Amino acid sequence: MRRWGYALVGVLPLVTGGCIAQTAWDVATLPVKATGKAIDWTTTSQSEADRNYGKKMRKQEEREGRERKKAAEACRKDPEKCGAYDGYRAGRDD
C-alpha cells in the first residue's frame, strides 16, 4: 500500500500540473480577451458600416418616393401649378 501511496504522490504533480498551468494561462489571458471584446463592441466593422449605410439610403429613397408620389398627385389635381419636381432627393444632404 505504501508503494501506491508514494507513486500517487509522485504522479499527482504531473497530473495536476497541466490543470494548474491551463488555469494560470486562462487567468493571464482574460484581460486581453476582455479588452478585445470591449473594442469589438465599441467599433463598427466595415460590413456593419455598409449595412447601416444601405439601410439609411433605402429609407431616404422611400421618403423620396413618397414625396414624388404626393407631387405627382398634386400635379394631376392642379396641372396649372405643376412644374419640375423640386422636392426631397435621396442621397443629397439637405
Side-chain angles (χ1 to χ4, degrees):
M1 185 67 173
R2 261 189 191 168
R3 278 189 185 163
W4 288 106
Y6 290 131
L8 184 61
V9 170
V11 173
L12 192 60
L14 297 175
V15 174
T16 60
C19 296
I20 293 170
Q22 184 63 39
T23 302
W25 179 258
D26 290 343
V27 170
T29 59
L30 183 65
V32 175
K33 290 178 183 177
T35 302
K37 280 288 183 192
I39 290 171
D40 285 346
W41 288 336
T42 57
T43 57
T44 303
S45 69
Q46 186 62 46
S47 63
E48 288 174 316
D50 292 344
R51 193 171 46 243
N52 292 341
Y53 178 75
K55 187 176 183 180
K56 175 183 167 188
M57 288 306 297
R58 281 190 301 276
K59 285 186 178 208
Q60 288 181 355
E61 289 169 355
E62 287 173 10
R63 177 180 171 193
E64 180 180 357
R66 285 191 304 267
E67 290 193 13
R68 281 186 179 268
K69 187 176 178 180
K70 277 185 197 177
E73 196 172 303
C75 191
R76 276 193 303 272
K77 287 181 181 179
D78 192 7
E80 301 271 329
K81 294 182 179 178
C82 189
Y85 178 74
D86 192 32
Y88 177 79
R89 295 186 191 275
R92 192 178 73 190
D93 292 330
D94 287 336

